[in-house]
Amino acid sequence: MIYVSTSCVRNKFIGESVRELAEEGYHNIELSGGTQPYEKLEEELLQLKQTYNLNFLCHNYFPPPEVPFVVNLASLDEEIFQMSLDHLKKAIDLSKKLGAKRFGFHAGFLINIPLDEIGKSIGRNELFPHPPALNKFFSGYKELKKHAGTDFELYIENNVCSATNYQNFKNQNPFHLCESESYKELSEKDDFGLILDVAHLKVSCRTLGLDFESEFNYLAKRSDYIHISDNDGTKDSNQELKEESSLFKCLQTLNFENKIITLEVYDGLAALKSSYELCKSLF
């Protein structure tokens, strides 16, 4: 099944993004960040779901919190940790109301990222110690699992480590879950579903000096939920997927029979459609 992210279109309110994608013929829509909160958000989504016969998934920063912040379940700042935990519980609750059976969010960070630096160059701050931050993340994760219940799946998405941020932190990686070794470390803490963002992985592999194809093969076999866009390996630019790309050739090696794809292509509706048609061929 192929979903498209609401981040593929740019609107102030989520209802506008959903309606735009639905009018383009997309019926599986992943609700993501970048829009503003409003009073009748939930009511409008339920109406749009019925009107256009939609399937929804919520992702990470959705629904948008009243007070914007960067979600970090690994934060050793108790206020940020609690805000993150509360936000993710609300996202699980909304997911269930919208008929979704799963919810995914990003692995934690060893820093609290300022809102205006998310996805950009991050100013150097002292890193949280790794083991306590990882333990904090999984203390929150276990609480989320309990909140979600047994008939609902939680997924953790791999982060992206850019060369700029790696250099900013003097060749220390400030993010959990960027590659296979980190995945193994997290898997020892608890069972979780993996959202494999292949674009994040492509950048992280180049930054960390890892072989993308071998990392991809290892992680893709352990994931049934994949986020797809492309880039040149230097930054997460959310470009369209092209048939001649090395990424598409890697994707062709997988069995997608029981996998979910979400497209996160920001190059415009034509590029989104082209990427969507290409992904259909993977099934």
Side-chain angles (χ1 to χ4, degrees), residues 31 42 56-63 73 84-105 140-156:
L31 307 168
E42 183 180 318
F56 285 134
L57 291 174
C58 295
H59 176 249
N60 198 50
Y61 205 59
F62 190 87
L73 200 61
S84 300
L85 187 62
D86 291 344
H87 165 78
L88 295 170
K89 285 181 178 179
K90 289 178 182 176
I92 291 168
D93 293 342
L94 180 59
S95 296
K96 290 184 175 183
K97 289 178 183 177
L98 296 174
K101 297 291 186 181
R102 66 188 71 201
F103 169 70
F105 59 100
Y141 178 76
K142 288 175 182 177
E143 190 169 336
L144 291 175
K145 278 211 306 186
K146 184 177 179 180
H147 183 81
T150 57
D151 60 343
F152 191 90
E153 297 180 83
L154 290 181
Y155 286 76
I156 302 173

Side-chain angles (χ1 to χ4, degrees), residues 39-53:
E39 184 179 354
K40 294 189 175 182
L41 178 150
E42 183 180 318
E43 179 183 332
E44 184 174 20
L45 288 175
L46 288 169
Q47 183 59 55
L48 288 165
K49 176 180 170 67
Q50 181 177 6
T51 301
Y52 291 99
N53 190 27

Side-chain angles (χ1 to χ4, degrees), residues 96-130:
K96 290 184 175 183
K97 289 178 183 177
L98 296 174
K101 297 291 186 181
R102 66 188 71 201
F103 169 70
F105 59 100
H106 287 193
F109 320 130
L110 294 174
I111 45 172
N112 291 325
I113 303 175
L115 195 63
D116 61 354
E117 293 181 5
I118 189 70
K120 302 174 185 176
S121 176
I122 300 169
R124 189 165 186 268
N125 294 298
E126 186 175 350
L127 298 179
F128 299 134
H130 181 92

Side-chain angles (χ1 to χ4, degrees), residues 171-226:
N171 294 346
Q172 289 182 286
N173 185 355
F175 309 105
H176 292 301
L177 190 54
C178 291
E179 28 62 43
S180 61
E181 286 305 310
S182 183
Y183 171 81
K184 293 172 189 176
E185 180 185 27
L186 269 66
S187 296
E188 291 176 357
K189 292 285 186 180
D190 209 327
D191 292 328
F192 62 90
L194 171 67
I195 296 181
L196 177 60
D197 188 311
V198 294
H200 288 182
L201 183 64
K202 188 173 181 179
V203 174
S204 295
C205 284
R206 178 162 176 167
T207 299
L208 301 173
L210 301 172
D211 179 69
F212 172 75
E213 188 171 340
S214 61
E215 288 287 311
F216 172 87
N217 287 336
Y218 179 88
L219 291 170
K221 291 173 183 175
R222 289 156 176 81
S223 174
D224 63 1
Y225 187 175
I226 298 179

